[in-house]
Amino acid sequence: MIDLSGKNAVITGGARGIGRAIGLRLAAQGADVGFSYRGNAEAAQATVADIEALGRTAIAVQADVVKPESAKELIDTALDQLGAIDILVNNAGITRDDLIMRMKPEDWNDVIDTNLSGAFWTIKAATRPMMKARGGRIINITSVSGQAGQIGQTNYSSAKAGLIGLTKATARELGSRNITSNAVAPGFVLTDLTGDLPEELLEEAKARTPLGRFTSLEDVSAAVAFLASDEAAFITGQVLAVDGGLVMM
Ligand code: NAP
């Protein structure tokens, strides 16, 4: 049984979807949780209540990871209210799908700014406290789209592939301080993010998945809990695919 008692986790975009499931899972394993939300305060309060119902401390911080100062405020508030940050999960992400010829500059920029730069700003803010503590776990939520590429998602695939590079470079740079950096690459999870995808695309992906179903919230949060735990102490710079075999690297 994974034991995260006494650990503090910070999750970006933790009010709903995969981020919420990760927060609940880490809390169920004993961690206190701080998380950011961008705009959905109602969802954030509901998630705080659900984590508190597990007997853990939860704090929700309104923060836009696109802005470096906002990402820093998230980390500073979590440090102030939780006391330390042992685990950082970069989960906040958006899609703005379109074909290359039709993609608007803002759709390219917003996706790179949120999914890739947002993770960097948050890592940058958390690095000093983790280095001082001589330890930490950074877990970035990438995607099969970043590993294999996806039609209509050049922006998202590029950001998620960049996140894998960021994961590996961070692992090299911070390894000497006992800070690990890994990525989790889910397949298709049925959340608000995938709600707009054509049914045929989802069914086709399921048909190509050896294990024959979509990725569940539990599949992703279990992988994150493992990478956050002492059991994963010697794993760094890796991409853990949680996709039922959809993409095999
Ligand atoms: P979701 O339900 O749409 O949730 C996205 C979360 O990101 C929300 O909590 C949102 O906050 C937050 N967010 C978005 N932009 C933000 C910003 N600028 N600053 C702070 N928070 C921001 O999506 P999801 O499916 O749970 O996806 C979570 C992560 O998993 C993403 O990185 C996504 O790329 C990745 N992923 C998803 C799938 C999938 O199939 N669903 C597959 C692979 C990877 P608000 O609630 O305040 O809007």
Side-chain angles (χ1 to χ4, degrees), residues 230-246:
D230 289 346
E231 280 82 350
F234 206 54
I235 300 174
T236 197
Q238 303 303 311
V239 182
L240 180 53
V242 184
D243 64 359
L246 177 60

Side-chain angles (χ1 to χ4, degrees), residues 12-19 36-40 63-66 91-94 114-115 141-144 156 160 186-194:
T12 64
R16 58 196 176 91
I18 293 173
S36 72
Y37 64 98
R38 182 184 38 174
N40 199 332
D64 181 350
V65 295
V66 167
N91 164 81
I94 58 168
T114 305
N115 296 272
I141 309 300
T142 180
S143 166
V144 287
Y156 184 76
K160 292 300 192 184
F188 290 88
V189 188
L190 301 180
T191 64
D192 294 343
L193 193 85
T194 44

Side-chain angles (χ1 to χ4, degrees), residues 169-231:
T170 303
R172 291 194 187 280
E173 191 165 320
L174 303 183
S176 65
R177 303 300 177 103
N178 195 33
I179 298 167
T180 67
S181 169
N182 291 288
V184 168
F188 290 88
V189 188
L190 301 180
T191 64
D192 294 343
L193 193 85
T194 44
D196 290 339
L197 289 178
E199 191 66 30
E200 317 83 73
L201 187 146
L202 289 170
E203 286 306 318
E204 188 263 339
K206 185 157 80 175
R208 280 192 292 116
T209 302
L211 292 179
R213 62 169 175 82
F214 296 121
T215 304
S216 70
L217 294 171
E218 292 72 25
D219 294 326
V220 181
S221 52
V224 172
F226 167 65
L227 289 171
S229 73
D230 289 346
E231 280 82 350

